Amino acid sequence: MTSPIVEIRNIRKSFGSLEVLKGVDFDVHEGEVVCLIGKSGSGKSTLLRCINLLEKPDAGSIRVFGEDILKTADVNKYRAHVGMCFQQFNLFSNMNVLENCVIPQVKVLKISRQAAEEKAMLYLRKVGMESFASASVTRISGGQKQRVAIARALCMNPKLMLFDEPTSALDPEMVNEVLNVMKQLAEEGLTMIVVTHEMGFARQVADRVVFMDQGIIEEEGRPEDLFSSPRSERTRSFLQNFIQN
C-alpha cells in the first residue's frame, strides 16, 4: 500500500483545563473517504481543524502530502491544497455566488479573472448551481449555500477535502442535495475526511469509519464491520442511541 497522504501521530489539544484530543493517531490514504463519527465534544471537529491549521496542537505531529505542516512557513499555500467546508458555509455575504468562487482563485492561486470565472462556472455546474451564478448568497437556501461552498473549495484544486458536519445546519429536505454532491466527489476519487452525524452517508460512502469518544479514537474499520458488529461497547452504545433517536 502507498504511504498515507495524511499522517497524524499522538496529537494532543487542550482548551484551558479541558483536554479535547488525548493522543490521536490517524492516517488517510489517497482516494480514501473517511467519516469521523461520535458524540458532540468527542474531538472530531478539533481534529479536522488541526489538519487545516485552524487550531495548533499542543503536542504530536501532522504530515500532509509528506510535509510536516506544523512547521510550514506558508499556511495559505498549504490551505490552497486542502479544501474545507464548514457547518455555516462561511461565504462572503456581500458578494454574489460567482464572485465567491472567483475571488479566492485570483487572490491565492494568482490566476487571471477570466480563467477563474471559467473554472468557477465549471464547478458551479458540477454542483447544480450554474443558474444562480449572479444571485446574492443572501437570497439562496442553506442547501444551495453549502453547494456553493463546495464549488468554491473545488475551484482551488484541492488534493484533500475536509467537511465539518456540512449538513448539520440544513433543513432535512436540503440534506440530500448536499450529500449527493459529496457522493459524486467520492465516486470521482477525491480524498475526503468527513465529520458527520449522517450514519446512512457514512455507511454507504465511507471506505473507513472512525468512532471518536472522549478525545481518542475508540474504534475504526470498514462501515460494514463497524456498523454491523462493533467491537467496543462504547461504539455499540453510541450506534444504538443514534438509531433509537
Side-chain angles (χ1 to χ4, degrees):
M1 192 179 244
T2 56
S3 297
I5 63 170
V6 178
E7 300 173 82
I8 292 175
R9 297 292 176 268
N10 196 33
I11 285 294
R12 295 179 177 273
K13 177 66 181 176
S14 295
F15 296 99
S17 60
L18 179 64
E19 191 177 20
V20 178
L21 296 176
K22 304 174 182 176
V24 171
D25 294 299
F26 183 71
D27 287 347
V28 180
H29 286 82
E30 187 171 4
E32 193 175 24
V33 178
V34 179
C35 284
L36 303 179
I37 65 171
K39 298 175 190 170
S40 296
S42 60
K44 309 180 300 296
S45 293
T46 301
L47 177 60
L48 216 59
R49 292 172 68 84
C50 286
I51 296 172
N52 203 34
L53 296 177
L54 290 167
E55 301 288 353
K56 188 153 187 189
D58 301 322
S61 68
I62 302 178
R63 298 185 71 83
V64 182
F65 317 127
E67 177 189 6
D68 183 345
I69 65 166
L70 300 181
K71 296 178 181 174
T72 187
D74 192 338
V75 172
N76 286 333
K77 183 180 176 185
Y78 165 69
R79 285 207 191 119
H81 298 297
V82 180
M84 186 153 182
C85 287
F86 301 85
Q87 298 176 38
Q88 299 297 339
F89 327 125
N90 287 23
L91 296 173
F92 304 117
S93 59
N94 60 332
M95 298 180 190
N96 67 21
V97 165
L98 182 64
E99 288 294 296
N100 264 275
C101 296
V102 166
I103 296 302
Q105 297 181 70
V106 173
K107 292 202 167 183
V108 178
L109 300 182
K110 310 294 186 194
I111 66 175
S112 73
R113 181 171 181 92
Q114 182 182 350
E117 285 189 6
E118 287 173 4
K119 201 198 293 189
M121 291 306 292
L122 173 76
Y123 285 112
L124 287 171
R125 195 174 306 125
K126 187 183 189 72
V127 301
M129 289 298 293
E130 179 186 20
S131 61
F132 292 86
S134 59
S136 165
V137 296
T138 60
R139 301 288 181 129
I140 59 177
S141 72
Q144 290 170 330
K145 286 177 183 173
Q146 194 60 284
R147 284 190 280 156
V148 172
I150 293 171
R152 180 178 65 176
L154 292 175
C155 283
M156 307 300 285
N157 304 323
K159 299 175 187 171
L160 170 67
M161 278 287 286
L162 310 176
F163 292 91
D164 187 9
E165 299 194 26
T167 59
S168 68
L170 302 180
D171 293 332
E173 64 269 22
M174 295 175 189
V175 169
N176 279 340
E177 65 184 63
V178 174
L179 292 181
N180 286 336
V181 171
M182 293 170 65
K183 286 175 189 173
Q184 183 184 347
L185 297 176
E187 287 166 4
E188 292 170 5
L190 183 61
T191 310
M192 296 160 52
I193 306 174
V194 184
V195 172
T196 186
H197 287 300
E198 299 290 339
M199 294 300 137
F201 176 84
R203 189 191 285 255
Q204 184 180 352
V205 179
D207 297 298
R208 185 157 45 99
V209 177
V210 175
F211 171 62
M212 291 188 67
D213 190 58
Q214 298 177 18
I216 64 166
I217 291 178
E218 175 70 16
E219 184 172 350
E220 61 182 298
R222 297 183 307 169
E224 56 266 35
D225 297 331
L226 189 132
F227 283 106
S228 62
S229 52
R231 297 186 305 274
S232 160
E233 181 54 46
R234 286 194 211 172
T235 313
R236 199 173 299 120
S237 173
F238 170 78
L239 291 174
Q240 283 174 347
N241 285 336
F242 223 97
I243 291 164
Q244 286 167 2
N245 291 339

